[in-house]
């Protein structure tokens, strides 16, 4: 906070790397940037937050629990060269006892010492051992803030990691990880050699890279080190034979001579991480490790990998801690997220059990499995090759035959309703049997139906109330029947499924609210039948299956079929074997496609999904494993080996007990697993994840008032190929802001570099969002704020520069994406612009993108058609383009910036002048999409080269900018505009050369813009400037990689035509590698919100005081 | 992605391969030289953190090229990693933050002094910027420390820096030894990269300064962290170097750089020697990385009888490996890892099954 000269700047929100975690009594301490956050350890509610360091990030938190007999409420917090000692008071708040003491070098570890020679417990805690990065140990009296001893090791080099072994100074051992691949162990209290330094006892060699962390378990005498070489090495300390019986210490601590004479033996080298390993812990029976590949691995003591889980949204997992009881592990990541792992639940479900049918003299084997629930018990329902329907109860190992019929031999189709009480069983002759669980807890036959005159291809329970069953007979005959308690079946509708290769349904859902039936077919299409009310007095005419779908989403899930359809509120979800979940909005007789749910890339086949609370759990397959995946946690919950998805399988998850049952058939056996996920599903999330990797752009979409609440909508995009739509709320009482992630938009295949938006003209609170990024990809989205303060996101169209949009019939044969030159062009920035040329209706939005191949590309998006059309390619010199912004009306100009430090102003109207015929036709026809041949032979390759050359200059047209001015020595990384009057415009740029410039441009209607006043501050920052934003004509704010947010006062004298910048204030941000900044006015007050993004997000509020 | 995709994305990477440089960073030194003429009259040079050796290559080609007698030129290259040999370059393998390495370098300059010290070293960045910039600053400090021992007064020092939040502190330290400090950003260094280069000219140590290895050369204590907020005290001029009309490292170029000039793929000049991840990649290739539910592919056998007994309560009762040996020749028949004692019976029965199978 800073208050001077009539203004106030404070940090209101921070979301960045979580680099330190520690349990202390009943709280969890989280270190995020310079802040420490205190969470209650069962509800995971944050009840206290404090900034510990001014200019450093927290890298470690060490609590004072030397022994079980006494624990004091102190914690030492360190980061960079600073150390603070905090006291956790009874009121659950933190108090700084010793504030940010600065040491001469980087701190790697801190240890609370227990000193034998001093009496009372409180006295004992006066000393801390501190290890510094150049292999130096300090004995520090923190009460008096005095260094008692400074001891150096003989091995003098930079350590990347260090860890103290023990907590008694006289027996203390330091293990340091060097850059030259060794762990060096030495005693800080040992005897000095002739150089006044201490020689190491042991050097553990074997790692092939830098050592990133060391952990020692003193009960088991095991040490593990993790490294750049992606391995974890587990070492066991063994006493030498001469002094093995002399352990007198109650803490199981060895004396220095024992440490010296013993030896370390390598037990295991554990390799499973696919990138660097950051940290590992040795527990009593497990080893847990985390790393850069955003995975958490759990190993047993024999070195077998038990689990490997992806987490933290693809970012590094920086921190790991385990509670004392070893029931919980907590991880913190790049994504500002903190996740709890319930070890008992995680390890409860590793094995699948295998069962065979009881053999009765003939060879029978299972055909289908399903799970039924009856009276709190899970049973597996099995239909066999011999036409037997039986149940198996795994708990009692008991088989029960329910029904047996010869016509169900070798083929049958089985379905259980989602409640688990109703069963439908169809056969090859068109017969369908209905079973249900009666009161005495046993499945029994309720009804026999003859629905079709041929094979029943599929049976689906499509609704609970009314209870509807959909059967699919030969040649696409669909039969929707109602089955109620009285078991008088009623065929409601006979429908026709459009022809496709495998002509049957694979999923279905009836939505009574809108009288819609949605079915998915084996060819990946989704069909909608509307107007199907269940209030029919008599069944439809039995003459034929003629009713066609009212709407079809053709092959929307690819060639492998739709697997599940569910409805939540008025949103329809479909999943498919293409590994995607798609969202649709339901209305009266209408279904509109919204967008793709962010699903794991590694799940290639989604079979089913279920909503639990806020979470959507996906069930599917990856290679030979069954996976259940949580979209809320963005990680798998259970992974089971089962042989893959091509088999009969079923899964049931009970939302109240958290019990998950899975069954499938493998060869002639039935595999079965039961796991418990209650806590994992209910309370794994301590702190929400933002972006897993760096954020490149931020866009304030709107600020609207809904129900007296200020609603700020923000879009962010970055390296993780995802756009986050978040809601920022600001608490004026505490002056704290909060970011709530509403939606994660997936669709980009490379990093997102630029965002732009404009309001939709015809719908209130609805916006068009354009995102661009790597691999020359452009996507147009629509965001609508609904009354429930929720945001509906819809993908309208996407455009690749070099590929065909349409799905290929044989996509595996098409390699054009990879072989065309310049498919690697990056869109660096995007702007939406307007033109007052006639003939451009308001239905068309004009989009400009600056490209890394030195072109400016223009597109038109037609709202009515929902289509993007490429209009023009304009060469802009020899350098990579960086930014493109549109001048506010009435200027009608585009400004582009490049890595050559040049700013160019272009006339919008000229761009569009001769587009009339050619592009207008394109807009209408959309037939211009280039067709690519397959690249197999050399001739083909040549052909491609010719085509691509054409593409390279597709609609290329030379244009002269209205104005070119060189403002910076090298790239212009940031630009912001501000309209002062209808004729005056202010322009601010920030460059790679650390300078900041400001220009006043005169222009407007009809006249050629020209710069009237200009100024430049050469060393405005100490590093490249990456963000600038005007607050108004008096203030501009800038940020750079030097982590400063600078506030500048603009002194502009219109008559004198002079302008100057005066630095008012500098504030340090905790966001490293800042890449963008945006400021906007908060309501009508003299308050602005300044949002900085980079490796995280920080929100500042700037307030003018009087 | 095809093998040419990196060539498309990064023109200097491609040019480096075509012109025979070991890394694209060679262009950075060349472009710095274009601006500052740092090679003028240089006979003796030190390249710190040299691997893979592109800067040494530039020094070797340029200095030996401009000299009447190439053998008069002395170039010492130091790196932690192994490096393929280069003509006229003396190589030392060691860590420059380690004292012994520093002594080794100095020993090569007994009685002589270098005209130029360059350092293109960077740590393997972790992604935590404060650590990365700290390590980078330590590399620079170590390089500067070595420089104070070997550089002649008036000599030049060029080093890579990360422009992080503490960069002004580093500038102030360099200013103690060099009256002219400039930050240079060659065009071949990407705009998006955090790196830049300090070109420190006219080495003039403070009067009475005696280079020493024992004391930490630079202490930051003179600058308080409170001063981090506020205007920059130390202003260091910035110069972008390299030809504006030359190649732009941020731009995506078509494979056909000039009309009619056909693209030919060039393999990398020098692939990394023994990178840390070599073994891990090898394991991955052979599908030997551990997977859940399978025994680790890299378990080493340990015979407990070789170990000295540890105190009773420290024995790990839950991690045993059973080794079954043939009574005849003591050869290992089978080995079973027991994660808990509870499942010993089932493991034994499983083992029975396996041995039965193998015998039949």
């Amino acid at each position: 906070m800073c208050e001077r000269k009539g203004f106030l700047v404070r940090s209101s929100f921070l979301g960045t790397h979580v680099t330190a975690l520690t349990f202390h009594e009943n709280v969890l301490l989280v270190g995020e940037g310079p802040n420490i956050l205190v969470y209650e350890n069962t509800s995971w509610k944050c009840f206290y937050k404090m900034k510990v360091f001014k200019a450093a990030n927290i890298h470690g938190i060490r609590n004072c629990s030397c022994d079980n007999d006494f624990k004091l409420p102190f914690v030492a917090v360190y980061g960079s060269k600073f150390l603070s000692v905090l006291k956790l008071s009874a009121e659950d708040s933190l108090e700084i006892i010793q504030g940010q003491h600065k040491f001469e070098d980087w701190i790697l570890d801190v240890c609370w010492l227990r000193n034998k020679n001093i009496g009372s417990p409180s006295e004992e805690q006066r000393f801390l051992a501190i290890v510094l990065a150049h292999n130096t140990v300090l004995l520090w009296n923190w009460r008096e803030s005095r260094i008692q001893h400074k001891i150096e090791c003989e091995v003098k080099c930079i350590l990347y990691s260090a860890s103290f072994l023990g907590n008694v100074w006289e027996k203390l051992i330091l293990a340091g990880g060097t850059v030259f691949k060794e762990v060096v162990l030495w005693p800080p209290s040992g005897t000095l050699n002739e150089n006044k330094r201490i020689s190491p006892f042991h050097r553990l060699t074997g790692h092939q890279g830098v050592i990133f962390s060391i952990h020692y378990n003193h009960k088991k005498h095991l040490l593990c080190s993790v490294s750049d070489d992606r391995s974890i090495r587990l070492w066991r300390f063994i006493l030498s034979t001469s002094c093995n019986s002399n352990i007198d210490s109650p803490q199981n601590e060895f004396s220095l001579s024992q440490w010296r004479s013993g030896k370390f033996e390598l037990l295991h080298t554990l390799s499973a991480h696919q990138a660097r390993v950051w940290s590992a812990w040795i527990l009593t029976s497990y080893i847990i490790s985390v790393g850069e590949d955003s995975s958490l691995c759990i190993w047993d003591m024999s070195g077998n990998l038990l689990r490997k889980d992806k987490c933290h949204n693809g970012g590094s997992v920086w921190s790991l801690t385990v509670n004392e009881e070893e029931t919980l592990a907590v991880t913190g990541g790049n994504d500002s997220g903190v996740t709890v792992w319930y070890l008992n639940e995680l390890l409860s479900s590793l094995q699948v059990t295998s069962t065979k049918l009881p053999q009765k003299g003939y060879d029978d084997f299972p055909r289908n499995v399903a799970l039924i629930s009856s009276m709190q018990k899970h049973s597996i329902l099995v239909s066999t090759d011999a036409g037997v329907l039986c149940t198996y109860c795994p708990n009692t190992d008991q088989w029960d035959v329910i029904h047996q019929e010869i016509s169900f031999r070798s083929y049958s189709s089985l379905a259980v309703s989602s409640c688990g009480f109703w069963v439908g069983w169809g056969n090859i002759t068109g017969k369908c049997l209905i079973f249900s669980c009666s009161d005495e807890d046993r499945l029994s036959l309720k009804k026999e139906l003859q629905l079709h005159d041929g094979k029943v291809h599929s049976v689906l329970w499509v609704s609970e109330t009314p209870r509807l069953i959909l059967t699919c007979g030969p040649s696409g005959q669909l039969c929707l029947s109602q089955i109620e308690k009285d078991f008088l079946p009623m065929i409601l509708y006979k429908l026709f499924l459009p022809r496709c290769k495998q002509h049957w349904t694979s999923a279905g859902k009836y939505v009574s609210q809108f009288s819609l039936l949605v079915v998915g077919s084996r060819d990946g299409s989704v069909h909608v039948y509307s107007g199907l009310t269940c209030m029919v007095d008599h069944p439809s005419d039995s003459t034929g299956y003629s009713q066609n779908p009212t709407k079809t989403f053709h092959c929307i899930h690819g060639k492998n079929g739709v697997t599940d359809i569910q409805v939540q509120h008025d949103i329809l979800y479909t999943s498919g074997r293409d590994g995607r979940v798609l969202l649709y909005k339901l209305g009266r007789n209408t279904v509109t496609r919204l967008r793709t749910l962010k699903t794991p890339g590694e799940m290639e086949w989604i079979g089913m999904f279920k909503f639990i609370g806020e979470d959507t759990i996906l069930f599917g397959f990856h290679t030979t494993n069954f996976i259940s995946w949580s979209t809320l946690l963005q990680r798998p919950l259970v992974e089971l080996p089962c042989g893959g998805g091509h088999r009969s399988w079923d899964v049931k998850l009970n939302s109240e007990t958290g019990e998950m049952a899975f069954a499938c058939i493998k060869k002639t056996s039935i595999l079965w697993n039961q796991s418990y996920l209650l806590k994992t599903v209910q309370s794994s999330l301590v702190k929400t994840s933002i972006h897993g990797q760096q954020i490149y752009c931020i866009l304030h979409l709107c600020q609207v008032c809904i129900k007296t609440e200020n609603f700020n909508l923000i879009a962010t995009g970055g390296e993780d190929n995802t756009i986050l739509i978040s809601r920022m709320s600001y608490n004026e009482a505490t002056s704290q802001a909060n970011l709530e992630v509403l939606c994660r938009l997936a669709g980009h295949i490379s990093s997102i570099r630029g965002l732009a938006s404009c309001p939709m003209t015809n719908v209130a609170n609805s916006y068009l969002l354009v995102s661009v990024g790597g691999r020359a990809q452009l996507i147009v989205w629509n965001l609508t704020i609904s009354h429930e303060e929720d945001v509906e996101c819809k993908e309208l169209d996407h455009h690749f520069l070099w590929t065909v949009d349409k799905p290929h019939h044989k996509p595996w044969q098409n390699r054009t994406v990879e072989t065309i030159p310049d498919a690697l062009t990056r869109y660096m920035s995007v702007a939406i612009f307007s033109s007052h040329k006639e003939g451009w209706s308001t239905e068309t939005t004009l989009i400009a993108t600056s490209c890394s191949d030195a072109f400016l590309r223009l597109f038109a998006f037609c709202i009515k058609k929902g289509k993007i059309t490429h209009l023009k390619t304009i060469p802009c010199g020899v350098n990579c383009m960086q930014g493109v912004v549109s001048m506010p009306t009435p200027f009608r100009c585009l400004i582009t910036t490049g890595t050559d430090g040049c700013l160019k102003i272009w006339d919008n109207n000229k761009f569009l002048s001769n587009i009339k015929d050619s592009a207008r036709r394109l807009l209408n026809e959309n037939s211009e999409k280039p067709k690519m041949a397959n690249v197999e032979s050399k001739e083909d390759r040549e052909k491609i080269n010719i085509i691509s050359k054409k593409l390279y200059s597709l609609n290329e047209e030379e244009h002269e900018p209205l104005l070119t001015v060189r403002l910076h020595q090298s790239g212009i990384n940031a630009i912001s505009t501000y309209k002062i009057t209808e004729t005056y415009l202010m322009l601010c740029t920030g460059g790679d050369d650390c300078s900041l410039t400001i220009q006043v441009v005169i222009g407007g209607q009809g006249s050629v813009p020209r710069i009237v006043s200009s100024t430049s501050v050469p060393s405005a920052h100490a590093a490249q400037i990456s963000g600038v934003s005007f607050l108004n004509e008096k203030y501009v704010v800038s940020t750079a990689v030097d982590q400063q947010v600078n506030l500048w006062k603009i002194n502009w004298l219109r008559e004198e035509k002079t302008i100057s910048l005066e630095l008012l204030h500098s504030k340090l941000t905790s966001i490293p590698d800042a890449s963008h900044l945006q400021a906007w006015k908060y309501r009508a007050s003299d308050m602005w919100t300044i949002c900085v993004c980079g490796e995280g997000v920080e929100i500042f509020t700037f307030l003018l005081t009087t | 992605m095809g093998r040419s995709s990196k060539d498309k994305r990064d023109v200097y990477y491609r040019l480096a391969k075509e012109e025979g440089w070991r890394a694209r960073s060679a262009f950075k030194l060349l472009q710095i030289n274009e601006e500052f003429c740092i090679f003028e009259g240089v006979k003796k040079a030190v390249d710190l953190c040299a691997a893979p050796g592109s800067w040494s290559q530039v020094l070797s080609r340029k200095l030996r090229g401009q000299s009447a007698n190439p053998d008069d030129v002395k170039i010492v290259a130091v790196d932690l990693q192994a490096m393929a040999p280069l003509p006229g370059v003396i190589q030392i393998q060691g860590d420059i933050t380690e004292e012994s390495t520093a002594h080794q370098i100095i020993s090569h300059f007994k009685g002589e002094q270098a005209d130029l010290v360059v350092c293109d070293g960077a740590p393997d960045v972790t992604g935590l910027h404060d650590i990365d910039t700290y390590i980078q600053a330590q590399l620079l400090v170590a390089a500067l420390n070595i420089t104070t021992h070997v550089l002649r007064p008036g000599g030049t020092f060029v080093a890579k820096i990360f422009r992080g939040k503490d960069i002004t502190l580093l500038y102030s330290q360099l200013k103690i030894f060099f009256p002219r400090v400039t930050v240079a950003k060659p065009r071949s260094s990407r705009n998006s990269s955090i790196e830049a280069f300090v070109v420190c000219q006219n080495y003039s140590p403070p009067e009475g300064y005696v280079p020493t290895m024992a004391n930490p050369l630079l202490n930051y204590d003179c600058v308080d962290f409170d001063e981090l907020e506020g205007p920059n005290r130390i202003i260091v001029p910035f110069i972008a170097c390299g030809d504006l009309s030359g190649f732009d490292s941020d731009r995506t170029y078509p494979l056909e750089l000039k009309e009619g000039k056909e693209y030919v793929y060039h393999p990398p000049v020098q692939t990394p020697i023994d990178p840390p991840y070599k073994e891990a990649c090898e394991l991955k290739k052979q599908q030997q990385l551990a997977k859940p539910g399978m025994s680790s592919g890299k378990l080493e056998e340990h015979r407990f009888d070789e170990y000295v007994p540890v105190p009773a309560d420290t024995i790990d009762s839950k991690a045993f490996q059973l080794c079954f040996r043939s009574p005849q020749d003591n050869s290992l028949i089978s080995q079973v890892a027991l994660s808990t004692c509870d499942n010993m019976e089932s493991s034994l029965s499983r083992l029975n099954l396996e041995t039965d199978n193998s015998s039949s």
Side-chain angles (χ1 to χ4, degrees), chain A residues 59 105 826 852 880 899 1044, chain B residues 130 134 228 238 240 248 250 252:
Chain A
H59 282 281
D105 203 354
R826 303 181 300 280
S852 67
C880 169
T899 52
Q1044 301 283 350
Chain B
D130 51 349
Y134 168 77
L228 277 175
F238 176 93
D248 179 354
D250 290 283
T252 337

Side-chain angles (χ1 to χ4, degrees), chain A residues 884-945:
Chain A
V884 57
V885 289
S886 167
M887 281 197 191
T889 45
F891 289 89
R892 299 195 194 283
C893 287
L894 277 177
I895 307 167
T896 62
T897 60
T899 52
D900 53 353
C902 285
L903 179 139
K904 289 174 182 166
I905 300 181
W906 310 77
D907 187 350
N908 292 353
N909 297 327
K910 273 196 190 151
F911 285 156
L912 305 168
S913 55
N914 50 5
I915 256 170
K916 244 179 197 157
D917 308 320
S918 57
R920 201 70 57 76
R921 205 174 55 237
L922 294 177
L923 265 179
N924 294 332
E925 287 169 11
N926 288 316
S927 57
E928 154 267 347
K929 295 278 154 60
K931 290 276 181 288
M932 290 298 152
N934 297 332
V935 189
E936 293 300 333
S937 61
K938 203 187 164 193
E939 293 81 61
D940 280 343
R941 203 178 290 274
E942 275 163 15
K943 209 158 50 185
I944 287 293
N945 272 333

Side-chain angles (χ1 to χ4, degrees), chain B residues 62-76:
Chain B
K62 285 271 166 182
L63 302 186
R64 287 163 65 91
Q66 74 188 17
S67 169
N69 182 6
D71 293 335
D72 284 354
V73 174
K74 186 174 198 173
I75 302 162
V76 176

Side-chain angles (χ1 to χ4, degrees), chain A residues 54-55 59 105 134 179 220-221 247 267 271 274 276 301-302 822 826 852 878 880 899 969 973 1024 1044, chain B residues 95 125 130 134 138 165 187 191 193 226 228 238 240 248 250-252 254 284 290 299 302 311 314 316 319:
Chain A
K54 241 181 167 169
H59 282 281
D105 203 354
H134 282 83
V179 280
K220 298 174 75 76
H221 305 292
I247 299 172
L267 280 184
S271 308
Q274 305 222 358
R276 291 176 284 183
M301 283 300 176
S302 321
D822 277 53
R826 303 181 300 280
S852 67
V878 296
C880 169
T899 52
Q969 289 189 49
N973 296 343
Q1024 62 265 51
Q1044 301 283 350
Chain B
D95 173 25
V125 289
D130 51 349
Y134 168 77
Q138 289 310 306
K165 75 176 192 298
R187 299 236 160 249
N191 180 288
S193 157
D226 277 329
L228 277 175
F238 176 93
D248 179 354
D250 290 283
R251 183 176 159 186
T252 337
K284 197 188 167 190
L299 269 189
H302 291 278
T314 67
D316 176 17

